[in-house]
Amino acid sequence: ELKVEQNPLFLSMQEGKNYTIYCNYSTTSDRLYWYRQDPGKSLESLFVLLSNGAVKQEGRLMASLDTKARLSTLHITAAVHDLSATYFCAVVVSGSARQLTFGSGTQLTVLP
Amino acid sequence: NAGVTQTPKFQVLKTGQSMTLQCAQDMNHEYMSWYRQDPGMGLRLIHYSVGAGITDQGEVPNGYNVSRSTTEDFPLRLLSAAPSQTSVYFCASSYGGGKDEQFFGPGTRLTVL
Protein backbone atom coordinates (compact mmCIF):
# COMPACT_ATOMS: atom_id res chain seq x y z
CA GLU A 1 0.00 0.00 0.00
CA LEU A 2 1.35 3.39 -0.99
CA LYS A 3 1.85 5.84 1.85
CA VAL A 4 2.59 9.52 1.30
CA GLU A 5 3.87 11.61 4.19
CA GLN A 6 4.30 15.34 4.20
CA ASN A 7 6.07 17.44 6.74
CA PRO A 8 5.63 19.73 8.35
CA LEU A 9 1.84 19.65 8.61
CA PHE A 10 1.72 23.25 9.79
CA LEU A 11 4.16 25.98 8.92
CA SER A 12 4.18 29.62 9.95
CA MET A 13 6.86 31.74 8.41
CA GLN A 14 7.78 35.37 8.16
CA GLU A 15 7.58 37.19 4.89
CA GLY A 16 10.90 37.19 3.10
CA LYS A 17 12.10 33.90 4.59
CA ASN A 18 12.85 30.62 2.82
CA TYR A 19 11.51 27.22 3.72
CA THR A 20 11.07 23.70 2.36
CA ILE A 21 8.15 21.29 2.52
CA TYR A 22 8.99 17.59 2.25
CA CYS A 23 7.02 14.76 0.67
CA ASN A 24 8.11 11.16 1.22
CA TYR A 25 6.41 8.19 -0.40
CA SER A 26 6.72 4.49 0.22
CA THR A 27 6.78 2.75 -3.16
CA THR A 28 7.90 3.21 -6.73
CA SER A 29 6.15 6.04 -8.51
CA ASP A 30 6.38 7.42 -12.01
CA ARG A 31 4.92 10.85 -11.34
CA LEU A 32 4.37 13.24 -8.50
CA TYR A 33 2.11 16.27 -8.31
CA TRP A 34 2.05 19.37 -6.14
CA TYR A 35 -1.25 21.17 -5.59
CA ARG A 36 -2.29 24.32 -3.82
CA GLN A 37 -5.65 24.69 -2.04
CA ASP A 38 -7.07 27.93 -0.66
CA PRO A 39 -9.70 27.69 2.10
CA GLY A 40 -13.05 26.56 0.73
CA LYS A 41 -11.66 26.21 -2.79
CA SER A 42 -10.65 23.44 -5.15
CA LEU A 43 -7.15 22.22 -5.90
CA GLU A 44 -4.90 24.16 -8.22
CA SER A 45 -2.17 22.27 -10.01
CA LEU A 46 1.32 23.67 -9.37
CA PHE A 47 3.79 21.10 -10.70
CA VAL A 48 3.94 17.67 -12.30
CA LEU A 49 7.28 15.90 -11.82
CA LEU A 50 7.89 12.95 -14.10
CA SER A 51 11.45 11.76 -13.70
CA ASN A 52 14.32 11.47 -11.29
CA GLY A 53 16.10 14.78 -10.86
CA ALA A 54 13.19 16.78 -12.28
CA VAL A 55 13.12 20.37 -11.10
CA LYS A 56 10.39 22.87 -11.88
CA GLN A 57 10.06 26.48 -10.83
CA GLU A 58 7.20 28.95 -10.91
CA GLY A 59 7.71 32.29 -9.24
CA ARG A 60 8.78 31.78 -5.63
CA LEU A 61 8.08 28.04 -5.67
CA MET A 62 10.47 25.34 -6.82
CA ALA A 63 9.75 21.61 -6.76
CA SER A 64 12.17 18.74 -7.17
CA LEU A 65 11.97 14.97 -7.28
CA ASP A 66 14.44 12.28 -6.18
CA THR A 67 12.90 8.94 -7.13
CA LYS A 68 15.73 6.93 -5.59
CA ALA A 69 15.13 8.52 -2.19
CA ARG A 70 11.35 8.59 -2.84
CA LEU A 71 11.38 12.24 -1.87
CA SER A 72 10.04 15.44 -3.32
CA THR A 73 10.60 18.93 -1.98
CA LEU A 74 8.69 22.17 -2.46
CA HIS A 75 10.98 25.10 -1.74
CA ILE A 76 9.60 28.54 -0.99
CA THR A 77 11.87 31.50 -1.62
CA ALA A 78 11.30 34.89 -0.01
CA ALA A 79 7.75 34.08 1.08
CA VAL A 80 4.93 36.56 0.61
CA HIS A 81 1.49 36.59 2.22
CA ASP A 82 -0.20 35.48 -1.03
CA LEU A 83 1.50 32.10 -0.68
CA SER A 84 -0.57 31.31 2.42
CA ALA A 85 -2.54 28.14 1.54
CA THR A 86 -2.48 24.39 2.04
CA TYR A 87 -0.05 22.50 -0.19
CA PHE A 88 -0.51 18.86 -1.09
CA CYS A 89 1.74 16.40 -2.78
CA ALA A 90 0.15 13.44 -4.57
CA VAL A 91 1.79 10.37 -6.02
CA VAL A 92 0.79 7.96 -8.79
CA VAL A 93 1.90 4.36 -8.33
CA SER A 94 3.93 3.00 -11.23
CA GLY A 95 1.73 1.05 -13.62
CA SER A 96 -1.54 2.27 -12.14
CA ALA A 97 -4.26 4.15 -14.00
CA ARG A 98 -3.44 7.57 -12.58
CA GLN A 99 -4.97 7.06 -9.17
CA LEU A 100 -3.56 9.77 -6.94
CA THR A 101 -2.56 9.08 -3.34
CA PHE A 102 -2.35 12.34 -1.42
CA GLY A 103 -0.30 13.46 1.51
CA SER A 104 -2.11 15.09 4.44
CA GLY A 105 -1.15 18.56 3.32
CA THR A 106 0.98 21.37 4.72
CA GLN A 107 -0.92 24.39 5.94
CA LEU A 108 1.32 27.37 5.26
CA THR A 109 0.77 30.75 6.89
CA VAL A 110 3.02 33.62 5.86
CA LEU A 111 3.09 36.34 8.47
CA PRO A 112 3.85 39.99 7.73
CA ASN B 1 -14.26 25.42 -22.03
CA ALA B 2 -16.10 25.07 -18.73
CA GLY B 3 -13.49 22.54 -17.51
CA VAL B 4 -14.73 20.21 -14.76
CA THR B 5 -18.12 21.15 -13.33
CA GLN B 6 -19.88 19.72 -10.29
CA THR B 7 -23.41 20.08 -9.00
CA PRO B 8 -24.70 20.79 -6.48
CA LYS B 9 -22.24 23.01 -4.61
CA PHE B 10 -23.86 22.27 -1.25
CA GLN B 11 -26.23 19.55 -0.08
CA VAL B 12 -27.76 18.50 3.23
CA LEU B 13 -29.18 15.00 3.54
CA LYS B 14 -30.82 12.98 6.26
CA THR B 15 -29.44 9.60 7.20
CA GLY B 16 -30.73 6.96 4.82
CA GLN B 17 -31.50 9.29 1.93
CA SER B 18 -29.94 8.73 -1.46
CA MET B 19 -28.63 11.25 -3.93
CA THR B 20 -26.39 11.69 -6.96
CA LEU B 21 -23.50 14.10 -7.22
CA GLN B 22 -22.99 15.22 -10.78
CA CYS B 23 -19.64 15.68 -12.52
CA ALA B 24 -19.07 16.70 -16.13
CA GLN B 25 -16.07 17.70 -18.20
CA ASP B 26 -15.89 19.17 -21.68
CA MET B 27 -12.22 18.47 -22.42
CA ASN B 28 -12.72 14.98 -23.89
CA HIS B 29 -10.69 13.47 -21.05
CA GLU B 30 -10.54 9.69 -20.80
CA TYR B 31 -9.80 9.49 -17.10
CA MET B 32 -12.21 10.69 -14.41
CA SER B 33 -12.23 10.13 -10.68
CA TRP B 34 -13.99 11.00 -7.44
CA TYR B 35 -12.24 11.95 -4.20
CA ARG B 36 -13.44 12.91 -0.77
CA GLN B 37 -11.69 15.36 1.51
CA ASP B 38 -12.16 15.28 5.26
CA PRO B 39 -10.85 17.95 7.65
CA GLY B 40 -7.09 17.84 8.15
CA MET B 41 -6.64 15.15 5.55
CA GLY B 42 -5.63 14.87 1.98
CA LEU B 43 -8.00 13.62 -0.66
CA ARG B 44 -8.90 9.94 -0.79
CA LEU B 45 -9.95 8.17 -3.97
CA ILE B 46 -13.48 6.74 -4.04
CA HIS B 47 -13.93 5.47 -7.61
CA TYR B 48 -12.32 6.11 -10.96
CA SER B 49 -12.92 5.47 -14.65
CA VAL B 50 -10.43 5.06 -17.49
CA GLY B 51 -13.08 5.49 -20.19
CA ALA B 52 -16.76 5.20 -20.98
CA GLY B 53 -18.16 1.93 -19.67
CA ILE B 54 -15.15 1.21 -17.42
CA THR B 55 -15.07 1.94 -13.69
CA ASP B 56 -13.10 0.65 -10.73
CA GLN B 57 -12.88 1.10 -6.98
CA GLY B 58 -10.46 3.34 -5.18
CA GLU B 59 -9.39 3.44 -1.55
CA VAL B 60 -12.79 4.19 0.05
CA PRO B 61 -15.58 2.86 -2.24
CA ASN B 62 -18.07 1.55 0.32
CA GLY B 63 -21.45 3.27 0.20
CA TYR B 64 -20.88 4.79 -3.24
CA ASN B 65 -21.71 3.71 -6.79
CA VAL B 66 -20.56 5.14 -10.10
CA SER B 67 -21.23 4.62 -13.78
CA ARG B 68 -19.70 6.10 -16.93
CA SER B 69 -22.09 5.93 -19.85
CA THR B 70 -20.51 8.86 -21.71
CA THR B 71 -17.03 10.36 -21.87
CA GLU B 72 -18.32 13.64 -20.42
CA ASP B 73 -20.23 12.53 -17.32
CA PHE B 74 -19.25 10.60 -14.21
CA PRO B 75 -21.98 10.73 -11.52
CA LEU B 76 -21.42 9.52 -7.96
CA ARG B 77 -24.36 7.94 -6.18
CA LEU B 78 -24.79 7.70 -2.43
CA LEU B 79 -27.07 4.75 -1.87
CA SER B 80 -28.08 5.32 1.75
CA ALA B 81 -26.36 8.34 3.24
CA ALA B 82 -24.60 8.05 6.59
CA PRO B 83 -23.09 10.78 8.82
CA SER B 84 -19.64 9.32 8.03
CA GLN B 85 -20.15 10.47 4.44
CA THR B 86 -20.18 14.12 5.49
CA SER B 87 -17.30 15.49 3.47
CA VAL B 88 -16.27 17.62 0.53
CA TYR B 89 -16.33 15.69 -2.73
CA PHE B 90 -14.10 16.53 -5.67
CA CYS B 91 -14.27 15.21 -9.19
CA ALA B 92 -11.15 15.22 -11.36
CA SER B 93 -10.32 14.43 -14.97
CA SER B 94 -7.24 14.01 -17.13
CA TYR B 95 -6.15 13.00 -20.60
CA GLY B 96 -5.04 9.47 -21.29
CA GLY B 97 -1.70 8.63 -22.79
CA GLY B 98 1.31 10.65 -21.78
CA LYS B 99 -0.45 13.83 -20.66
CA ASP B 100 -0.49 13.96 -16.94
CA GLU B 101 -2.16 17.02 -15.48
CA GLN B 102 -5.32 16.31 -13.52
CA PHE B 103 -8.00 18.98 -13.37
CA PHE B 104 -10.25 19.26 -10.33
CA GLY B 105 -13.82 20.49 -10.14
CA PRO B 106 -14.99 23.09 -7.59
CA GLY B 107 -16.27 20.50 -5.12
CA THR B 108 -19.57 19.55 -3.47
CA ARG B 109 -19.90 20.08 0.27
CA LEU B 110 -22.18 17.36 1.66
CA THR B 111 -23.59 17.20 5.17
CA VAL B 112 -25.46 14.11 6.37
CA LEU B 113 -27.54 14.63 9.50
Side-chain angles (χ1 to χ4, degrees):
Chain A
E1 180 190 343
L2 173 61
K3 293 191 186 303
V4 181
E5 293 185 351
Q6 279 182 246
N7 68 83
L9 298 183
F10 299 93
L11 176 57
S12 289
M13 54 191 301
Q14 297 287 331
E15 278 191 332
K17 298 292 188 183
N18 304 334
Y19 209 84
T20 300
I21 299 170
Y22 297 89
C23 175
N24 290 274
Y25 54 97
S26 62
T27 190
T28 304
S29 169
D30 50 18
R31 60 193 75 110
L32 186 142
Y33 299 76
W34 283 97
Y35 289 94
R36 169 183 171 142
Q37 186 179 38
D38 293 300
K41 302 292 187 184
S42 185
L43 278 76
E44 174 191 352
S45 178
L46 296 175
F47 303 108
V48 181
L49 302 170
L50 300 177
S51 60
N52 189 44
V55 177
K56 290 196 174 180
Q57 183 163 5
E58 181 74 33
R60 301 174 187 274
L61 300 178
M62 183 174 71
S64 65
L65 178 62
D66 181 344
T67 57
K68 293 179 183 176
R70 296 178 183 166
L71 171 69
S72 180
T73 61
L74 180 66
H75 186 72
I76 302 155
T77 301
V80 294
H81 179 69
D82 285 352
L83 289 179
S84 297
T86 298
Y87 293 85
F88 292 96
C89 65
V91 177
V92 174
V93 175
S94 294
S96 73
R98 291 182 182 75
Q99 300 102 292
L100 293 173
T101 299
F102 280 81
S104 298
T106 296
Q107 187 176 317
L108 171 66
T109 303
V110 181
L111 305 170
Chain B
N1 264 355
V4 182
T5 58
Q6 291 182 237
T7 57
K9 287 188 176 6
F10 301 94
Q11 183 70 48
V12 179
L13 292 178
K14 295 181 180 177
T15 297
Q17 289 184 314
S18 62
M19 79 160 294
T20 299
L21 308 185
Q22 301 291 345
C23 174
Q25 52 88 13
D26 61 358
M27 298 173 281
N28 201 31
H29 285 172
E30 294 180 7
Y31 183 80
M32 296 185 74
S33 52
W34 278 101
Y35 295 86
R36 60 177 288 173
Q37 184 177 29
D38 299 302
M41 298 179 70
L43 281 67
R44 290 182 293 168
L45 181 66
I46 304 171
H47 285 284
Y48 65 97
S49 169
V50 299
I54 306 170
T55 65
D56 206 346
Q57 296 181 350
E59 181 186 353
V60 287
N62 292 342
Y64 307 95
N65 273 357
V66 292
S67 60
R68 183 105 179 262
S69 56
T70 67
T71 299
E72 294 78 19
D73 300 297
F74 190 43
L76 178 72
R77 295 185 193 83
L78 280 70
L79 308 172
S80 177
S84 60
Q85 293 178 304
T86 294
S87 190
V88 181
Y89 292 84
F90 289 99
C91 178
S93 73
S94 68
Y95 293 105
K99 297 189 178 182
D100 298 282
E101 188 172 359
Q102 297 213 20
F103 298 84
F104 281 81
T108 294
R109 186 173 295 273
L110 175 68
T111 301
V112 183
L113 303 175

